[in-house]
Amino acid sequence: MAISRRKFLGSIGAAAVGGVTGALGKAYGASNKHFKGYPDSYGVLHDVTKCIGCRKCEDACNVVNALPKPEKSFEDLSVLEEKRRTDAGVYTVVNQFDVEGKKVFAKKQCNHCLEPACASACFVKAFTKTKQGAVVYNEKLCVGCRYCMVACPFEVPAYEYDDALTPSVTKCTMCYPLILEGKLPGCVEACPKGALIFGKRDDLIKAAWQRIYKYPDQYTAHVYGEHEMGGTSWLYLSGVSFSDVGMREDLGIKSAPELTAGPLAAVPIIVGLWPVLLTGVYAITKRKEKIAEQEKESAVARTLEQAQEDTAQKLEKLKAKMTQEKTSAINFEVKKALEEAAKKAEEEAGAQTEADASEEENASDESMKEDE
Amino acid sequence: MIVAVILGLLPVLGQTGTKKAGNVAGPDVIAIDLSKEMASNEMKPVKFFHAKHNQAVEGRCEQCHVRDKETLVFKFKRTDQPPTKELYHENCISCHAEKKAAGRESGPLAAECRSCHGALAEPPDTAWTKIPFSKSLHYIHESSEFIVSTAKGQTDNCSACHHNANEKSRQIYYTKGEESACVYCHKETKTQDVRSIRDASHDSCVACHEKLGSKKIKAGPVTCYGCHDVREQAKIEVVKTVPRLKRNQPDVALMTGLSSSGKNPKYLMNPVAFNHVGHETRAESCKVCHHESLKKCSDCHTPAGDVKGDFIRLEQAMHSVQSGQSCVGCHNQKTTASDCAGCHAMMPSTNLLDTSCAVCHNTPDNQVVADEKMKPVLAQKMVSSRAKTHETIDAEKIPEIVQISILADEYKPSEFPHRKVVQAITKRIEKSELANAFHKDQQALCMGCHHNSPRSMEPPRCASCHGKTSDAASGRPGLKAAYHGQCITCHQEMGIKEVLATDCIKCHAKK
């Protein structure tokens, strides 16, 4: 039996509402907490005003991560002429911006979000936000879907397109292995100008704001990364507007998971609910059919039984009637016979007595009536 | 389909239109906007090119402006009356029609409404620049033989421009010694009784220029461009040494604040002996400090704050770092000059040193001076006793070469020409009175680099405070960052020839 269109849509609606309300309740309804990252996690403060564009950080990154050597050496500052982005073999780039006739340099790499978009988009959990602050990637788990590249609001993860057999996603690791050894990330170690400071994220935010308070004329009163996309471990200070140094100012302060939690949380519920729902719909339909069948059978049986009963009753009635008729006929015959017999006896007695003649007349009248 | 294509093109066309930001109208564009005068406002304001019309009438201002007595009225075809639509339509269009009939280039005619209206959605973005009436420009007028006083018995010509106004009789009059800046009364927009600065200066300045010019006397500009175009402004003659303005202003002033009461009252803070004449030569005009009137600061900015002074207390008026009109604010702005910024750019602007107060509040005695006449005498004494130069340190006592070897690994230790740098900085500021007043002795200059430690000829080493790596908790840079930070920032701020960011061997010899 087919499901009607109305039924089908109705059931989808029911499932969706159930799923979404379930998810909302979980993500927002229960608390007003804002995830502020792992306590005592590390970060890096990049003070754009201090950067002189020497590319020592790029050089150090290349060495520490054993990346392929670029065509132009790191000493060659002509590469700053064009805007660059991170690539499979380049985890960090320094770009040059011309802001009101002044050269401003800004370094770009993975910002190590507190709640990374890449990790939330990855369905095999190839990305992990470590408690040290670094967002690290596990190529053994990666299936190469590159959802992380689409998800990242900072356009950081790159892919080894030229590796035909075992391509993986690449990005800055905040030099996680070095951090575990208690060392500084390569770029921070190499920066001659103190444009990069490594430390506890909470300390860095305080230090950043302290600089803004101390030098109000030199800084834009905003610490980029303190709240952007729910906060990032990499923080920025600038003397010009952040959009002037190629950083997005339209991201908002909600983390990617927070933005997508509702709809995404509904997905497993809807996906999980489908078999149950369809099986249920099927079962209900099946059961209905079965019940109908049973009802039909019992109805037929009942009708049959009734018919039989009726016939039997009729038969019985007929039988009874016939018996009655029979008995009444017998009785009549008996009575008649008895009367005849009695008449006969009377006739015989009259003949014998003096009033025999009158009795003979009465008797003949009666027999005549009987004949009529 | 075609519609879609056109719609698709529209934003692109719009963008190219707005992106021509360099295409700014000249300073002569005037918006003829009668929205205030007219009840219904069907049409947008008119974008009027004054210079173009001036050219068309060959400089004959009377074509559009009424001549009243000897001067022109800088309103279109009228004197005091409010402007009307009809006035503009009749006169503009009839003139355009005449020109056209004469076979000349002409403006829009009747029924070409939007050729004039609608070119302007908002006030035009013009290259109009305010003309600063500097001391030099003032002197040129003051010393002109053609500008003569209208009042009798005056030896100078101040009354030709300066006047006071009697609010009751609505008459203007002149009182010697009460001259003030025009903007004190003539504000940006007109008030009930007083013309705007725009109208007042056009009526007075341009009319006078025109009058003199018509007599073939060398006079100031009469065109929009003449005063309001940056390139034209640059052509105006500048008198380098301007004699002091004559308005009975004091040479010195004793600035005092709150005082204690009782038998022997004392100022709660040592008074400041203010060198008024010294500041006159430094400031571009009186308005730099006297922003609303030429009264004493404390007349409006009382120690406790008053509605007259917008509740800005005397202390704030003198010390606000952000304000360009306060002492500290103005001094702070001076530190951004390249001669000063090498050191000052790295100093937090918000925290004043403990020693800074005494630089100004330097009267030895804080006894209340009851006699007003004694105040300037005391102040004069203080000001004259001030040293004009700072004490220098003997060159031999300044280390000549400082070898920075503590971090050397990739390169050889840096040979820092310490004495050369100290002397170069000293030379850059030795003529600055402000620097000499605040630095007093050359040791103060040492503090530019050897900061955050007490003054000493043997300051602590950089490595005493700056560790191997930058400290996140304090934000204090590591040693390498501190060295590079100071050297490079100072070089950048003082405009010393730029070194390529990768040219390490400029300072560090290769191993």
Side-chain angles (χ1 to χ4, degrees):
Chain A
M1 191 175 126
I3 312 171
S4 74
R5 189 169 167 274
R6 175 178 285 266
K7 253 187 204 168
F8 175 73
L9 292 174
S11 53
I12 281 189
V17 166
V20 170
T21 46
L24 285 176
K26 202 172 181 185
Y28 310 106
S31 80
N32 56 358
K33 268 186 189 166
H34 169 59
F35 181 65
K36 288 180 184 164
Y38 289 107
D40 286 345
S41 73
Y42 294 105
V44 176
L45 172 65
H46 176 34
D47 189 333
V48 172
T49 67
K50 293 189 187 293
C51 183
I52 53 167
C54 66
R55 301 185 70 211
K56 291 267 184 255
C57 50
E58 289 187 41
D59 194 355
C61 178
N62 182 281
V63 172
V64 168
N65 293 297
L67 298 173
K69 289 280 165 236
E71 271 177 46
K72 285 183 177 174
S73 94
F74 289 106
E75 301 269 296
D76 189 345
L77 297 183
S78 68
V79 296
L80 294 172
E81 294 303 319
E82 55 182 289
K83 298 282 163 287
R84 297 172 298 146
R85 54 158 294 175
T86 50
D87 201 351
V90 184
Y91 295 177
T92 184
V93 290
V94 174
N95 276 321
Q96 177 183 298
F97 301 89
D98 185 18
V99 187
E100 286 163 13
K102 249 187 109 179
K103 278 180 189 169
V104 184
F105 304 92
K107 181 181 179 292
K108 183 184 172 132
Q109 73 299 305
C110 171
N111 283 330
H112 300 274
C113 304
L114 300 183
E115 295 175 85
C118 54
S120 78
C122 183
F123 55 83
V124 289
K125 295 198 173 171
F127 287 97
T128 317
K129 176 76 180 175
T130 64
K131 69 177 196 298
Q132 287 80 7
V135 175
V136 292
Y137 162 77
N138 184 350
E139 59 177 17
K140 283 178 191 160
L141 293 174
C142 180
V143 295
C145 72
R146 284 157 285 149
Y147 280 7
C148 50
M149 294 169 67
V150 180
C152 178
F154 305 106
E155 298 181 329
V156 163
Y159 195 63
E160 293 172 332
Y161 287 105
D162 49 355
D163 187 340
L165 297 174
T166 56
S168 42
V169 170
T170 65
K171 68 164 201 71
C172 158
T173 63
M174 210 197 254
C175 288
Y176 185 57
L178 293 181
I179 294 175
L180 291 181
E181 290 173 37
K183 290 179 183 165
L184 290 175
C187 53
V188 178
E189 175 82 52
C191 181
K193 228 2 206 51
L196 297 167
I197 300 183
F198 177 82
K200 300 244 168 83
R201 185 177 181 268
D202 292 345
D203 289 343
L204 292 174
I205 289 172
K206 277 182 213 156
W209 277 108
Q210 214 169 36
R211 283 187 192 178
I212 293 170
Y213 290 137
K214 275 176 143 180
Y215 305 96
D217 303 336
Q218 293 178 27
Y219 290 104
T220 305
H222 181 76
V223 180
Y224 193 97
E226 187 182 0
H227 301 299
E228 271 77 7
M229 290 307 289
T232 58
S233 293
W234 216 281
L235 304 158
Y236 299 82
L237 273 178
S238 169
V240 296
S241 99
F242 286 95
S243 55
D244 282 347
V245 288
M247 296 166 77
R248 288 181 64 178
E249 291 190 305
D250 60 337
L251 293 172
I253 57 166
K254 275 189 183 165
S255 69
E258 202 181 337
L259 286 170
T260 55
L264 280 181
V267 170
I269 290 174
I270 291 172
V271 169
L273 218 63
W274 265 113
V276 178
L277 185 87
L278 289 179
T279 316
V281 170
Y282 177 73
I284 290 166
T285 330
K286 261 281 179 236
R287 187 168 167 268
K288 237 179 191 172
E289 275 175 35
K290 202 175 154 190
I291 288 169
E293 194 66 32
Q294 275 175 353
E295 279 176 355
K296 196 173 144 193
E297 269 171 28
S298 63
V300 168
R302 235 187 356 253
T303 323
L304 214 65
E305 219 168 88
Q306 199 142 18
Q308 275 171 353
E309 229 165 77
D310 279 359
T311 329
Q313 255 174 14
K314 262 186 190 163
L315 220 64
E316 205 69 28
K317 258 186 189 164
L318 216 64
K319 257 184 188 167
K321 201 181 172 186
M322 279 168 76
T323 328
Q324 211 183 351
E325 274 174 12
K326 222 177 178 176
T327 22
S328 60
I330 291 170
N331 286 347
F332 180 74
E333 285 303 321
V334 170
K335 200 181 171 185
K336 199 179 165 188
L338 280 173
E339 273 175 8
E340 269 176 22
K343 203 176 169 184
K344 245 178 187 173
E346 253 176 53
E347 272 174 19
E348 276 172 18
Q352 282 173 353
T353 59
E354 287 172 8
D356 269 352
S358 58
E359 275 175 10
E360 242 177 306
E361 276 174 20
N362 284 343
S364 61
D365 284 348
E366 267 181 278
S367 65
M368 269 170 77
K369 270 183 190 170
E370 200 109 286
D371 287 338
E372 276 169 14
Chain B
M1 179 65 189
I2 293 165
V3 173
V5 169
I6 292 168
L7 286 176
L9 281 173
L10 275 175
V12 179
L13 292 170
Q15 276 166 5
T16 50
T18 50
K19 275 198 178 158
K20 281 180 189 167
N23 192 13
V24 184
D28 67 314
V29 176
I30 297 168
I32 302 174
D33 185 2
L34 302 190
S35 57
K36 277 179 201 154
E37 283 79 11
M38 282 164 61
S40 70
N41 195 17
E42 301 153 13
M43 282 291 176
K44 287 179 177 173
V46 172
K47 191 176 180 179
F48 179 79
F49 294 89
H50 192 274
K52 216 174 175 180
H53 288 80
N54 199 13
Q55 217 172 8
V57 299
E58 287 148 359
R60 281 173 288 126
C61 310
E62 297 86 353
Q63 290 268 339
C64 300
H65 296 292
V66 177
R67 192 169 278 283
D68 183 26
K69 289 170 200 162
E70 278 194 40
T71 60
L72 286 167
V73 179
F74 293 104
K75 283 173 184 154
F76 181 64
K77 290 270 188 189
R78 65 186 194 281
T79 48
D80 304 340
Q81 304 89 334
T84 59
K85 183 173 91 176
E86 291 72 26
L87 178 85
Y88 278 101
H89 279 179
E90 278 168 24
N91 290 297
C92 295
I93 297 168
S94 66
C95 188
H96 289 173
E98 267 174 44
K99 292 275 177 298
K100 187 158 186 157
R104 289 180 55 194
E105 194 190 345
S106 86
L109 300 169
E112 294 177 26
C113 310
R114 277 171 183 79
S115 301
C116 294
H117 296 277
L120 204 64
E122 48 197 49
D125 182 19
T126 65
W128 185 91
T129 326
K130 197 180 261 183
I131 176 157
F133 202 70
S134 61
K135 280 184 295 186
S136 158
L137 209 48
H138 186 270
Y139 179 67
I140 291 170
H141 288 83
E142 191 189 334
S143 59
S144 165
E145 55 178 306
F146 303 109
I147 303 170
V148 285
S149 176
T150 47
K152 278 179 186 169
Q154 296 293 330
T155 49
D156 51 41
N157 62 4
C158 305
S159 67
C161 303
H162 289 280
H163 55 252
N164 287 21
N166 186 322
E167 281 173 33
K168 274 185 191 163
S169 65
R170 302 173 66 84
Q171 291 290 314
I172 57 166
Y173 62 97
Y174 172 75
T175 313
K176 182 81 202 142
E178 280 187 17
E179 300 86 355
S180 291
C182 312
V183 287
Y184 292 163
C185 299
H186 298 282
K187 307 282 183 196
E188 283 297 319
T189 50
K190 67 168 186 182
T191 54
Q192 204 181 347
D193 297 319
V194 188
R195 287 171 297 169
S196 67
I197 183 70
R198 179 180 181 270
D199 284 349
S201 47
H202 285 171
D203 289 350
S204 303
C205 308
V206 185
C208 186
H209 293 171
E210 199 271 336
K211 195 175 87 183
L212 293 176
S214 66
K215 292 177 188 166
K216 306 286 175 211
I217 293 166
K218 188 186 168 231
V222 288
T223 62
C224 309
Y225 279 84
C227 289
H228 298 295
D229 186 75
V230 192
R231 288 158 298 181
E232 293 296 319
Q233 284 175 9
K235 290 179 194 165
I236 298 171
E237 178 197 353
V238 177
V239 182
K240 288 240 168 77
T241 45
V242 179
R244 198 177 174 204
L245 292 166
K246 294 166 278 186
R247 204 203 174 260
N248 306 324
Q249 66 271 41
D251 292 351
V252 289
L254 193 73
M255 294 172 136
T256 58
L258 290 171
S259 55
S260 63
S261 54
K263 230 182 198 180
N264 194 11
K266 283 186 172 177
Y267 293 119
L268 299 180
M269 182 71 197
N270 292 42
V272 174
F274 179 68
N275 184 355
H276 195 279
V277 65
H279 284 82
E280 276 176 46
T281 55
R282 297 280 166 228
E284 193 54 50
S285 76
C286 309
K287 284 178 286 181
V288 171
C289 304
H290 291 281
H291 53 102
E292 290 293 333
S293 78
L294 291 178
K295 287 181 196 162
K296 274 162 69 183
C297 308
S298 57
D299 279 3
C300 300
H301 299 293
T302 60
D306 190 273
V307 67
K308 286 183 289 180
D310 209 6
F311 295 102
I312 293 167
R313 288 178 281 110
L314 185 62
E315 179 274 318
Q316 290 171 307
M318 299 296 125
H319 302 132
S320 166
V321 183
Q322 267 70 44
S323 167
Q325 287 145 1
S326 81
C327 307
V328 175
C330 188
H331 290 165
N332 190 47
Q333 280 178 5
K334 302 282 176 208
T335 63
T336 55
S338 73
D339 289 343
C340 313
C343 298
H344 283 277
M346 279 175 279
M347 292 178 187
S349 63
T350 42
N351 55 343
L352 304 165
L353 294 174
D354 299 344
T355 52
S356 306
C357 307
V359 174
C360 300
H361 294 273
N362 58 355
T363 47
D365 186 18
N366 59 356
Q367 287 288 330
V368 167
V369 185
D371 187 359
E372 284 294 323
K373 280 182 189 163
M374 274 308 286
K375 281 184 175 177
V377 177
L378 268 170
Q380 187 63 58
K381 202 174 136 198
M382 284 303 305
V383 169
S384 350
S385 66
R386 269 180 207 156
K388 290 269 184 279
T389 53
H390 64 257
E391 292 164 33
T392 49
I393 301 170
D394 292 341
E396 307 90 71
K397 283 188 183 166
I398 305 168
E400 190 178 1
I401 301 286
V402 174
Q403 197 185 55
I404 303 170
S405 56
I406 189 163
L407 290 166
D409 57 353
E410 221 179 308
Y411 300 96
K412 280 185 184 172
S414 175
E415 302 279 330
F416 176 62
H418 183 268
R419 191 187 292 164
K420 198 180 131 195
V421 168
V422 176
Q423 285 170 338
I425 295 171
T426 310
K427 202 168 165 46
R428 289 278 290 261
I429 55 162
E430 66 187 359
K431 281 185 188 146
S432 164
E433 278 184 55
L434 188 64
N436 286 331
F438 278 88
H439 298 152
K440 291 259 178 21
D441 60 74
Q442 209 176 2
Q443 256 193 49
L445 291 191
C446 306
M447 306 301 292
C449 295
H450 299 281
H451 58 133
N452 295 339
S453 73
R455 282 180 193 208
S456 163
M457 286 303 284
E458 279 148 10
R461 312 200 61 178
C462 305
S464 309
C465 299
H466 295 280
K468 194 170 178 296
T469 58
S470 298
D471 180 30
S474 63
R476 187 181 290 170
L479 192 54
K480 186 163 70 172
Y483 278 127
H484 285 123
Q486 283 207 330
C487 297
I488 295 172
T489 310
C490 183
H491 276 228
Q492 282 174 340
E493 296 292 339
M494 294 192 83
I496 291 156
K497 203 179 158 224
E498 210 176 318
V499 176
L500 211 60
T502 46
D503 201 0
C504 307
I505 50 168
K506 251 283 176 330
C507 301
H508 317 272
K510 245 192 181 140
K511 254 185 182 171

PDB file of all heavy atoms in Angstrom, chain A residues 26 60 281 340:
ATOM      1  N   LYS A  26      20.141  21.632  23.174  1.00  0.00           N
ATOM      2  CA  LYS A  26      21.444  21.174  23.623  1.00  0.00           C
ATOM      3  C   LYS A  26      22.489  22.283  23.501  1.00  0.00           C
ATOM      4  O   LYS A  26      23.291  22.510  24.387  1.00  0.00           O
ATOM      5  CB  LYS A  26      21.867  19.993  22.757  1.00  0.00           C
ATOM      6  CG  LYS A  26      22.895  19.117  23.422  1.00  0.00           C
ATOM      7  CD  LYS A  26      23.114  17.880  22.589  1.00  0.00           C
ATOM      8  CE  LYS A  26      24.110  16.958  23.234  1.00  0.00           C
ATOM      9  NZ  LYS A  26      24.394  15.823  22.369  1.00  0.00           N
ATOM     10  N   ALA A  60      62.390  30.642   8.744  1.00  0.00           N
ATOM     11  CA  ALA A  60      62.445  29.729   9.886  1.00  0.00           C
ATOM     12  C   ALA A  60      61.371  28.660   9.775  1.00  0.00           C
ATOM     13  O   ALA A  60      61.611  27.485  10.048  1.00  0.00           O
ATOM     14  CB  ALA A  60      62.273  30.520  11.177  1.00  0.00           C
ATOM     15  N   VAL A 281       6.411   3.778   9.671  1.00  0.00           N
ATOM     16  CA  VAL A 281       5.307   4.024   8.734  1.00  0.00           C
ATOM     17  C   VAL A 281       4.928   2.718   8.048  1.00  0.00           C
ATOM     18  O   VAL A 281       3.746   2.367   7.936  1.00  0.00           O
ATOM     19  CB  VAL A 281       5.723   5.092   7.695  1.00  0.00           C
ATOM     20  CG1 VAL A 281       4.694   5.188   6.590  1.00  0.00           C
ATOM     21  CG2 VAL A 281       5.914   6.447   8.372  1.00  0.00           C
ATOM     22  N   GLU A 340     -66.468 -40.771  16.483  1.00  0.00           N
ATOM     23  CA  GLU A 340     -67.195 -41.756  15.654  1.00  0.00           C
ATOM     24  C   GLU A 340     -67.532 -42.998  16.462  1.00  0.00           C
ATOM     25  O   GLU A 340     -68.649 -43.522  16.426  1.00  0.00           O
ATOM     26  CB  GLU A 340     -66.355 -42.136  14.437  1.00  0.00           C
ATOM     27  CG  GLU A 340     -66.651 -41.245  13.241  1.00  0.00           C
ATOM     28  CD  GLU A 340     -65.758 -41.553  12.047  1.00  0.00           C
ATOM     29  OE1 GLU A 340     -65.217 -42.680  11.956  1.00  0.00           O
ATOM     30  OE2 GLU A 340     -65.596 -40.617  11.225  1.00  0.00           O
TER      31      GLU A 340
END
